[in-house]
Amino acid sequence: MRAKTEALIFDMDGTMIDSMPWHAKSWMVFARRHGIAIDVSDLLARTTGRTGTECMRVLFERELSDAECDALVHEKETIYRDMFSDNFTEVAGFNAFAKAAVARGLKIAVGTAGDRHNIEFAMSRLKMDPLPLAIVGGDEGLSGKPTPAIFLEAARRIGVDPARCIVFEDAPFGIEAARRGGMRAVAVCSTHTPAELAGPHVIAAVRDYEELAQSNFLETLDAATA
């Protein structure tokens, strides 16, 4: 029998907040500043879900020191936050869905490749109530997605077996990370098609949380309530 669900683990960018178009725009600005020609769609396909350090090494195609990566990530993400700040929005229905999940006794955590500055930026604007029990970021020394390290650490911090967690993800690397971690997944199709986010462990594919709520997802979930 499949283990009852005890926790939901959310990716952040493109899953909790509708930020991916602004990440794309900020990558273009950043690359121009450094004289690098990029195909932004290709770059996002190769980097979304990876940590900032990993992204910079992919973009610059050479070994960079951690200090160099930190400075470059700070520059790029400052551009992103400046661009997204006045356009900030959640993925439709996210806050209400997370609140309803907590009301049903489910634990909530966040597992993102975003750094602490992007996490603070997002959380200060989302104003989640209640807050997630744990947030694992991409600047904590863990490998990025598609490895499962970030999601597994989120599960560890909230004391839930990975098999009892459902990951919510908008990117192929994140969906694959959930599979490798032994977790089921919900594909949030804010930036990719259901086909691009398919997998044997994917139990639903939706445009946003309003659509998920309309499907009575929480009501029909085999959850271990507190």
Short mmCIF file of all heavy atoms in Angstrom, two decimals, residues 113-177:
data_model
loop_
_atom_site.label_atom_id
_atom_site.label_comp_id
_atom_site.label_asym_id
_atom_site.label_seq_id
_atom_site.Cartn_x
_atom_site.Cartn_y
_atom_site.Cartn_z
N ALA A 113 16.26 25.98 -5.15
CA ALA A 113 17.64 26.29 -5.50
C ALA A 113 17.94 27.76 -5.31
O ALA A 113 19.09 28.19 -5.41
CB ALA A 113 17.93 25.88 -6.94
N GLY A 114 16.91 28.56 -5.04
CA GLY A 114 17.11 29.97 -4.79
C GLY A 114 17.93 30.22 -3.53
O GLY A 114 17.91 29.41 -2.59
N ASP A 115 18.65 31.34 -3.50
CA ASP A 115 19.48 31.63 -2.33
C ASP A 115 18.67 32.35 -1.25
O ASP A 115 17.49 32.64 -1.43
CB ASP A 115 20.72 32.45 -2.72
CG ASP A 115 20.39 33.84 -3.27
OD1 ASP A 115 19.26 34.33 -3.09
OD2 ASP A 115 21.29 34.44 -3.88
N ARG A 116 19.33 32.62 -0.12
CA ARG A 116 18.62 33.19 1.04
C ARG A 116 18.02 34.56 0.73
O ARG A 116 16.98 34.92 1.29
CB ARG A 116 19.56 33.28 2.24
CG ARG A 116 20.77 34.16 2.04
CD ARG A 116 21.75 33.99 3.20
NE ARG A 116 22.94 34.83 3.05
CZ ARG A 116 23.98 34.52 2.29
NH1 ARG A 116 23.97 33.39 1.59
NH2 ARG A 116 25.02 35.32 2.22
N HIS A 117 18.66 35.32 -0.17
CA HIS A 117 18.13 36.64 -0.51
C HIS A 117 16.84 36.52 -1.32
O HIS A 117 15.88 37.26 -1.08
CB HIS A 117 19.18 37.43 -1.28
CG HIS A 117 20.48 37.58 -0.56
ND1 HIS A 117 20.60 38.29 0.62
CD2 HIS A 117 21.71 37.09 -0.84
CE1 HIS A 117 21.85 38.25 1.03
NE2 HIS A 117 22.54 37.52 0.18
N ASN A 118 16.81 35.60 -2.27
CA ASN A 118 15.59 35.39 -3.05
C ASN A 118 14.49 34.78 -2.19
O ASN A 118 13.30 35.07 -2.39
CB ASN A 118 15.87 34.50 -4.26
CG ASN A 118 16.54 35.26 -5.39
OD1 ASN A 118 16.81 36.46 -5.28
ND2 ASN A 118 16.83 34.56 -6.47
N ILE A 119 14.87 33.92 -1.25
CA ILE A 119 13.88 33.34 -0.34
C ILE A 119 13.25 34.43 0.51
O ILE A 119 12.02 34.51 0.64
CB ILE A 119 14.52 32.25 0.54
CG1 ILE A 119 14.91 31.04 -0.30
CG2 ILE A 119 13.58 31.84 1.67
CD1 ILE A 119 15.77 30.03 0.42
N GLU A 120 14.08 35.30 1.09
CA GLU A 120 13.55 36.38 1.93
C GLU A 120 12.67 37.31 1.11
O GLU A 120 11.60 37.73 1.56
CB GLU A 120 14.72 37.16 2.55
CG GLU A 120 14.30 38.15 3.64
CD GLU A 120 13.75 39.46 3.09
OE1 GLU A 120 14.17 39.88 1.99
OE2 GLU A 120 12.88 40.06 3.76
N PHE A 121 13.10 37.60 -0.12
CA PHE A 121 12.34 38.45 -1.03
C PHE A 121 10.95 37.86 -1.27
O PHE A 121 9.93 38.56 -1.18
CB PHE A 121 13.11 38.57 -2.34
CG PHE A 121 12.36 39.20 -3.48
CD1 PHE A 121 12.28 40.57 -3.61
CD2 PHE A 121 11.75 38.41 -4.45
CE1 PHE A 121 11.60 41.16 -4.67
CE2 PHE A 121 11.07 38.97 -5.50
CZ PHE A 121 10.98 40.35 -5.62
N ALA A 122 10.90 36.57 -1.57
CA ALA A 122 9.62 35.92 -1.87
C ALA A 122 8.74 35.81 -0.63
O ALA A 122 7.55 36.14 -0.66
CB ALA A 122 9.86 34.54 -2.47
N MET A 123 9.32 35.35 0.48
CA MET A 123 8.51 35.11 1.67
C MET A 123 7.98 36.40 2.27
O MET A 123 6.87 36.43 2.82
CB MET A 123 9.34 34.33 2.70
CG MET A 123 9.76 32.94 2.25
SD MET A 123 8.38 31.88 1.72
CE MET A 123 7.50 31.72 3.27
N SER A 124 8.74 37.48 2.17
CA SER A 124 8.27 38.76 2.72
C SER A 124 7.07 39.29 1.95
O SER A 124 6.25 40.04 2.48
CB SER A 124 9.40 39.79 2.72
OG SER A 124 9.77 40.15 1.40
N ARG A 125 6.95 38.88 0.70
CA ARG A 125 5.83 39.33 -0.12
C ARG A 125 4.66 38.35 -0.11
O ARG A 125 3.50 38.77 -0.19
CB ARG A 125 6.31 39.59 -1.55
CG ARG A 125 7.15 40.86 -1.65
CD ARG A 125 8.05 40.91 -2.87
NE ARG A 125 8.75 42.19 -2.96
CZ ARG A 125 9.81 42.51 -2.20
NH1 ARG A 125 10.28 41.63 -1.32
NH2 ARG A 125 10.38 43.69 -2.33
N LEU A 126 4.96 37.07 0.00
CA LEU A 126 3.88 36.08 0.05
C LEU A 126 3.08 36.18 1.34
O LEU A 126 1.87 35.94 1.35
CB LEU A 126 4.45 34.67 -0.08
CG LEU A 126 4.74 34.15 -1.48
CD1 LEU A 126 5.44 32.81 -1.40
CD2 LEU A 126 3.45 34.03 -2.29
N LYS A 127 3.78 36.47 2.44
CA LYS A 127 3.13 36.57 3.76
C LYS A 127 2.31 35.32 4.07
O LYS A 127 1.12 35.40 4.44
CB LYS A 127 2.26 37.84 3.84
CG LYS A 127 3.04 39.12 3.58
CD LYS A 127 2.22 40.35 3.82
CE LYS A 127 2.96 41.61 3.41
NZ LYS A 127 4.28 41.76 4.06
N MET A 128 2.93 34.16 3.94
CA MET A 128 2.25 32.90 4.23
C MET A 128 1.86 32.82 5.70
O MET A 128 2.60 33.23 6.58
CB MET A 128 3.16 31.71 3.87
CG MET A 128 3.39 31.52 2.40
SD MET A 128 4.52 30.13 2.08
CE MET A 128 3.48 28.74 2.61
N ASP A 129 0.69 32.29 5.94
CA ASP A 129 0.19 32.13 7.31
C ASP A 129 -0.58 30.81 7.39
O ASP A 129 -1.66 30.71 6.84
CB ASP A 129 -0.71 33.29 7.69
CG ASP A 129 -1.26 33.17 9.12
OD1 ASP A 129 -0.61 32.46 9.93
OD2 ASP A 129 -2.31 33.77 9.41
N PRO A 130 0.01 29.79 8.06
CA PRO A 130 1.29 29.81 8.77
C PRO A 130 2.47 29.69 7.82
O PRO A 130 2.32 29.32 6.65
CB PRO A 130 1.18 28.59 9.68
CG PRO A 130 0.32 27.65 8.92
CD PRO A 130 -0.70 28.50 8.21
N LEU A 131 3.66 29.98 8.37
CA LEU A 131 4.88 29.85 7.60
C LEU A 131 5.24 28.38 7.41
O LEU A 131 4.82 27.53 8.20
CB LEU A 131 6.02 30.57 8.32
CG LEU A 131 5.93 32.10 8.38
CD1 LEU A 131 6.98 32.63 9.34
CD2 LEU A 131 6.11 32.70 6.99
N PRO A 132 6.03 28.06 6.39
CA PRO A 132 6.52 26.68 6.24
C PRO A 132 7.33 26.26 7.47
O PRO A 132 7.97 27.09 8.12
CB PRO A 132 7.42 26.77 5.01
CG PRO A 132 6.95 27.97 4.26
CD PRO A 132 6.49 28.93 5.30
N LEU A 133 7.30 24.99 7.77
CA LEU A 133 8.05 24.47 8.92
C LEU A 133 9.54 24.45 8.64
O LEU A 133 10.36 24.48 9.57
CB LEU A 133 7.57 23.06 9.26
CG LEU A 133 6.12 22.95 9.72
CD1 LEU A 133 5.75 21.49 9.95
CD2 LEU A 133 5.89 23.76 10.99
N ALA A 134 9.92 24.38 7.37
CA ALA A 134 11.34 24.39 6.99
C ALA A 134 11.47 24.95 5.59
O ALA A 134 10.59 24.75 4.75
CB ALA A 134 11.93 22.98 7.05
N ILE A 135 12.58 25.67 5.35
CA ILE A 135 12.92 26.17 4.02
C ILE A 135 14.38 25.81 3.76
O ILE A 135 15.26 26.22 4.52
CB ILE A 135 12.72 27.68 3.89
CG1 ILE A 135 11.27 28.08 4.19
CG2 ILE A 135 13.13 28.15 2.49
CD1 ILE A 135 11.01 29.58 4.15
N VAL A 136 14.61 25.05 2.71
CA VAL A 136 15.97 24.67 2.33
C VAL A 136 16.33 25.43 1.05
O VAL A 136 15.58 25.39 0.07
CB VAL A 136 16.07 23.16 2.08
CG1 VAL A 136 17.50 22.78 1.68
CG2 VAL A 136 15.66 22.39 3.32
N GLY A 137 17.46 26.14 1.08
CA GLY A 137 17.87 26.96 -0.05
C GLY A 137 19.07 26.42 -0.79
O GLY A 137 19.78 25.51 -0.32
N GLY A 138 19.31 27.01 -1.95
CA GLY A 138 20.37 26.54 -2.82
C GLY A 138 21.75 27.04 -2.47
O GLY A 138 22.72 26.69 -3.15
N ASP A 139 21.86 27.87 -1.42
CA ASP A 139 23.17 28.35 -1.00
C ASP A 139 23.60 27.72 0.32
O ASP A 139 24.39 28.29 1.07
CB ASP A 139 23.18 29.88 -0.89
CG ASP A 139 22.11 30.42 0.03
OD1 ASP A 139 21.25 29.63 0.49
OD2 ASP A 139 22.11 31.64 0.29
N GLU A 140 23.09 26.53 0.58
CA GLU A 140 23.42 25.83 1.83
C GLU A 140 24.45 24.72 1.63
O GLU A 140 24.67 23.90 2.52
CB GLU A 140 22.15 25.27 2.48
CG GLU A 140 21.14 26.34 2.88
CD GLU A 140 19.98 25.78 3.67
OE1 GLU A 140 20.20 24.83 4.44
OE2 GLU A 140 18.86 26.29 3.51
N GLY A 141 25.03 24.65 0.45
CA GLY A 141 26.07 23.66 0.19
C GLY A 141 25.56 22.34 -0.34
O GLY A 141 26.33 21.39 -0.51
N LEU A 142 24.28 22.25 -0.63
CA LEU A 142 23.70 21.02 -1.20
C LEU A 142 23.75 21.09 -2.72
O LEU A 142 23.70 22.17 -3.31
CB LEU A 142 22.24 20.86 -0.74
CG LEU A 142 22.03 20.74 0.77
CD1 LEU A 142 20.56 20.94 1.11
CD2 LEU A 142 22.51 19.38 1.26
N SER A 143 23.81 19.94 -3.35
CA SER A 143 23.77 19.92 -4.82
C SER A 143 22.37 20.25 -5.29
O SER A 143 21.37 19.94 -4.64
CB SER A 143 24.20 18.55 -5.35
OG SER A 143 23.38 17.53 -4.84
N GLY A 144 22.30 20.92 -6.44
CA GLY A 144 21.01 21.32 -6.98
C GLY A 144 20.29 20.18 -7.67
O GLY A 144 20.81 19.07 -7.82
N LYS A 145 19.10 20.46 -8.13
CA LYS A 145 18.30 19.49 -8.86
C LYS A 145 18.94 19.28 -10.23
O LYS A 145 19.55 20.19 -10.76
CB LYS A 145 16.87 20.02 -8.98
CG LYS A 145 16.25 20.35 -7.60
CD LYS A 145 15.07 21.30 -7.71
CE LYS A 145 14.62 21.79 -6.34
NZ LYS A 145 13.57 22.81 -6.43
N PRO A 146 18.93 18.09 -10.81
CA PRO A 146 18.01 16.98 -10.53
C PRO A 146 18.42 16.03 -9.41
O PRO A 146 17.75 15.01 -9.23
CB PRO A 146 17.95 16.25 -11.86
CG PRO A 146 19.30 16.44 -12.44
CD PRO A 146 19.71 17.84 -12.04
N THR A 147 19.52 16.30 -8.69
CA THR A 147 19.77 15.46 -7.51
C THR A 147 18.69 15.77 -6.48
O THR A 147 18.15 16.88 -6.45
CB THR A 147 21.17 15.72 -6.91
OG1 THR A 147 21.14 16.92 -6.13
CG2 THR A 147 22.23 15.81 -7.98
N PRO A 148 18.37 14.83 -5.60
CA PRO A 148 17.27 15.03 -4.65
C PRO A 148 17.69 15.70 -3.35
O PRO A 148 16.88 15.79 -2.42
CB PRO A 148 16.79 13.60 -4.40
CG PRO A 148 18.04 12.79 -4.52
CD PRO A 148 18.86 13.44 -5.61
N ALA A 149 18.95 16.17 -3.25
CA ALA A 149 19.48 16.60 -1.96
C ALA A 149 18.63 17.66 -1.26
O ALA A 149 18.38 17.58 -0.05
CB ALA A 149 20.90 17.12 -2.15
N ILE A 150 18.17 18.66 -2.00
CA ILE A 150 17.40 19.74 -1.39
C ILE A 150 16.07 19.23 -0.86
O ILE A 150 15.66 19.55 0.27
CB ILE A 150 17.21 20.89 -2.40
CG1 ILE A 150 18.54 21.61 -2.63
CG2 ILE A 150 16.13 21.86 -1.93
CD1 ILE A 150 18.51 22.64 -3.75
N PHE A 151 15.38 18.40 -1.64
CA PHE A 151 14.09 17.86 -1.18
C PHE A 151 14.27 16.90 -0.01
O PHE A 151 13.47 16.89 0.93
CB PHE A 151 13.38 17.15 -2.33
CG PHE A 151 12.85 18.08 -3.39
CD1 PHE A 151 12.79 17.67 -4.71
CD2 PHE A 151 12.41 19.36 -3.08
CE1 PHE A 151 12.30 18.51 -5.70
CE2 PHE A 151 11.91 20.21 -4.05
CZ PHE A 151 11.86 19.79 -5.37
N LEU A 152 15.31 16.09 -0.06
CA LEU A 152 15.55 15.15 1.04
C LEU A 152 15.88 15.88 2.33
O LEU A 152 15.45 15.47 3.42
CB LEU A 152 16.67 14.18 0.67
CG LEU A 152 16.35 13.17 -0.43
CD1 LEU A 152 17.58 12.35 -0.77
CD2 LEU A 152 15.19 12.25 -0.02
N GLU A 153 16.61 16.97 2.22
CA GLU A 153 16.92 17.76 3.42
C GLU A 153 15.66 18.42 3.98
O GLU A 153 15.47 18.50 5.20
CB GLU A 153 17.98 18.82 3.11
CG GLU A 153 18.33 19.75 4.25
CD GLU A 153 18.91 19.07 5.48
OE1 GLU A 153 19.29 17.87 5.40
OE2 GLU A 153 18.97 19.72 6.54
N ALA A 154 14.78 18.88 3.10
CA ALA A 154 13.52 19.46 3.56
C ALA A 154 12.70 18.42 4.31
O ALA A 154 12.15 18.71 5.39
CB ALA A 154 12.73 20.00 2.37
N ALA A 155 12.63 17.21 3.77
CA ALA A 155 11.90 16.14 4.45
C ALA A 155 12.53 15.81 5.80
O ALA A 155 11.83 15.60 6.80
CB ALA A 155 11.86 14.89 3.56
N ARG A 156 13.85 15.79 5.83
CA ARG A 156 14.55 15.49 7.09
C ARG A 156 14.24 16.53 8.15
O ARG A 156 13.99 16.21 9.32
CB ARG A 156 16.06 15.42 6.85
CG ARG A 156 16.87 14.94 8.06
CD ARG A 156 18.34 15.21 7.91
NE ARG A 156 18.65 16.63 7.96
CZ ARG A 156 18.72 17.34 9.09
NH1 ARG A 156 18.49 16.77 10.27
NH2 ARG A 156 19.02 18.63 9.05
N ARG A 157 14.25 17.79 7.77
CA ARG A 157 14.04 18.86 8.75
C ARG A 157 12.65 18.85 9.35
O ARG A 157 12.46 19.29 10.48
CB ARG A 157 14.33 20.22 8.10
CG ARG A 157 15.80 20.45 7.81
CD ARG A 157 16.07 21.86 7.31
NE ARG A 157 17.43 21.97 6.79
CZ ARG A 157 17.93 23.07 6.25
NH1 ARG A 157 17.18 24.17 6.14
NH2 ARG A 157 19.18 23.09 5.80
N ILE A 158 11.68 18.37 8.60
CA ILE A 158 10.32 18.32 9.15
C ILE A 158 9.99 16.93 9.69
O ILE A 158 8.87 16.69 10.15
CB ILE A 158 9.26 18.77 8.13
CG1 ILE A 158 9.29 17.90 6.87
CG2 ILE A 158 9.47 20.24 7.78
CD1 ILE A 158 8.19 18.24 5.87
N GLY A 159 10.95 16.02 9.63
CA GLY A 159 10.78 14.71 10.23
C GLY A 159 9.79 13.81 9.54
O GLY A 159 9.07 13.06 10.20
N VAL A 160 9.76 13.87 8.21
CA VAL A 160 8.81 13.06 7.45
C VAL A 160 9.58 12.19 6.45
O VAL A 160 10.47 12.66 5.75
CB VAL A 160 7.80 13.94 6.70
CG1 VAL A 160 6.85 13.07 5.87
CG2 VAL A 160 7.00 14.79 7.68
N ASP A 161 9.21 10.91 6.38
CA ASP A 161 9.81 10.00 5.41
C ASP A 161 9.53 10.52 4.00
O ASP A 161 8.40 10.93 3.70
CB ASP A 161 9.19 8.61 5.60
CG ASP A 161 9.88 7.57 4.74
OD1 ASP A 161 9.70 7.61 3.51
OD2 ASP A 161 10.60 6.72 5.30
N PRO A 162 10.52 10.50 3.10
CA PRO A 162 10.29 10.98 1.73
C PRO A 162 9.10 10.33 1.04
O PRO A 162 8.40 10.99 0.26
CB PRO A 162 11.61 10.64 1.03
CG PRO A 162 12.64 10.69 2.11
CD PRO A 162 11.94 10.15 3.33
N ALA A 163 8.86 9.07 1.33
CA ALA A 163 7.73 8.38 0.69
C ALA A 163 6.39 8.95 1.11
O ALA A 163 5.37 8.71 0.45
CB ALA A 163 7.78 6.89 1.02
N ARG A 164 6.38 9.72 2.18
CA ARG A 164 5.14 10.33 2.68
C ARG A 164 5.05 11.81 2.30
O ARG A 164 4.21 12.54 2.82
CB ARG A 164 5.04 10.16 4.20
CG ARG A 164 4.90 8.70 4.63
CD ARG A 164 4.79 8.57 6.15
NE ARG A 164 4.64 7.19 6.56
CZ ARG A 164 3.46 6.57 6.68
NH1 ARG A 164 2.35 7.23 6.41
NH2 ARG A 164 3.40 5.31 7.06
N CYS A 165 5.94 12.25 1.39
CA CYS A 165 5.95 13.63 0.92
C CYS A 165 5.49 13.72 -0.53
O CYS A 165 5.75 12.81 -1.32
CB CYS A 165 7.36 14.22 1.01
SG CYS A 165 8.06 14.29 2.68
N ILE A 166 4.85 14.81 -0.86
CA ILE A 166 4.54 15.13 -2.26
C ILE A 166 5.25 16.43 -2.59
O ILE A 166 5.12 17.42 -1.89
CB ILE A 166 3.03 15.27 -2.49
CG1 ILE A 166 2.31 13.95 -2.23
CG2 ILE A 166 2.75 15.74 -3.92
CD1 ILE A 166 0.80 14.04 -2.34
N VAL A 167 6.03 16.39 -3.67
CA VAL A 167 6.76 17.56 -4.15
C VAL A 167 5.92 18.28 -5.20
O VAL A 167 5.31 17.65 -6.06
CB VAL A 167 8.12 17.14 -4.74
CG1 VAL A 167 8.71 18.23 -5.61
CG2 VAL A 167 9.08 16.74 -3.62
N PHE A 168 5.93 19.60 -5.13
CA PHE A 168 5.26 20.44 -6.13
C PHE A 168 6.35 21.15 -6.92
O PHE A 168 7.18 21.86 -6.35
CB PHE A 168 4.33 21.45 -5.46
CG PHE A 168 3.11 20.82 -4.86
CD1 PHE A 168 3.20 20.04 -3.71
CD2 PHE A 168 1.85 20.98 -5.44
CE1 PHE A 168 2.08 19.44 -3.16
CE2 PHE A 168 0.73 20.38 -4.89
CZ PHE A 168 0.85 19.61 -3.75
N GLU A 169 6.35 20.96 -8.24
CA GLU A 169 7.44 21.44 -9.08
C GLU A 169 6.95 21.94 -10.44
O GLU A 169 5.96 21.44 -10.96
CB GLU A 169 8.46 20.33 -9.32
CG GLU A 169 9.71 20.42 -8.49
CD GLU A 169 10.65 21.56 -8.89
OE1 GLU A 169 10.39 22.23 -9.92
OE2 GLU A 169 11.64 21.76 -8.18
N ASP A 170 7.69 22.91 -10.98
CA ASP A 170 7.34 23.45 -12.30
C ASP A 170 8.38 23.14 -13.36
O ASP A 170 8.21 23.54 -14.51
CB ASP A 170 7.19 24.97 -12.22
CG ASP A 170 8.54 25.66 -12.08
OD1 ASP A 170 9.29 25.33 -11.15
OD2 ASP A 170 8.85 26.53 -12.92
N ALA A 171 9.47 22.45 -12.99
CA ALA A 171 10.58 22.26 -13.93
C ALA A 171 10.98 20.79 -14.02
O ALA A 171 10.91 20.05 -13.03
CB ALA A 171 11.78 23.10 -13.50
N PRO A 172 11.45 20.36 -15.19
CA PRO A 172 11.86 18.97 -15.36
C PRO A 172 12.91 18.50 -14.37
O PRO A 172 12.82 17.37 -13.85
CB PRO A 172 12.39 18.94 -16.80
CG PRO A 172 11.62 19.99 -17.50
CD PRO A 172 11.47 21.10 -16.49
N PHE A 173 13.92 19.32 -14.07
CA PHE A 173 14.94 18.90 -13.11
C PHE A 173 14.32 18.66 -11.73
O PHE A 173 14.73 17.75 -11.01
CB PHE A 173 16.04 19.97 -12.99
CG PHE A 173 17.07 19.92 -14.08
CD1 PHE A 173 18.06 20.89 -14.16
CD2 PHE A 173 17.07 18.92 -15.05
CE1 PHE A 173 19.02 20.86 -15.17
CE2 PHE A 173 18.02 18.87 -16.06
CZ PHE A 173 19.00 19.86 -16.11
N GLY A 174 13.34 19.48 -11.34
CA GLY A 174 12.69 19.30 -10.05
C GLY A 174 11.83 18.05 -10.00
O GLY A 174 11.81 17.34 -8.99
N ILE A 175 11.13 17.79 -11.09
CA ILE A 175 10.32 16.57 -11.17
C ILE A 175 11.23 15.34 -11.06
O ILE A 175 10.91 14.36 -10.36
CB ILE A 175 9.52 16.54 -12.49
CG1 ILE A 175 8.44 17.64 -12.48
CG2 ILE A 175 8.91 15.17 -12.72
CD1 ILE A 175 7.30 17.42 -11.51
N GLU A 176 12.37 15.39 -11.73
CA GLU A 176 13.32 14.28 -11.67
C GLU A 176 13.92 14.15 -10.27
O GLU A 176 14.14 13.04 -9.77
CB GLU A 176 14.42 14.47 -12.71
CG GLU A 176 15.57 13.48 -12.63
CD GLU A 176 15.18 12.03 -12.87
OE1 GLU A 176 14.02 11.76 -13.28
OE2 GLU A 176 16.03 11.15 -12.63
N ALA A 177 14.19 15.27 -9.62
CA ALA A 177 14.73 15.23 -8.25
C ALA A 177 13.75 14.55 -7.30
O ALA A 177 14.15 13.78 -6.42
CB ALA A 177 15.04 16.65 -7.77
#
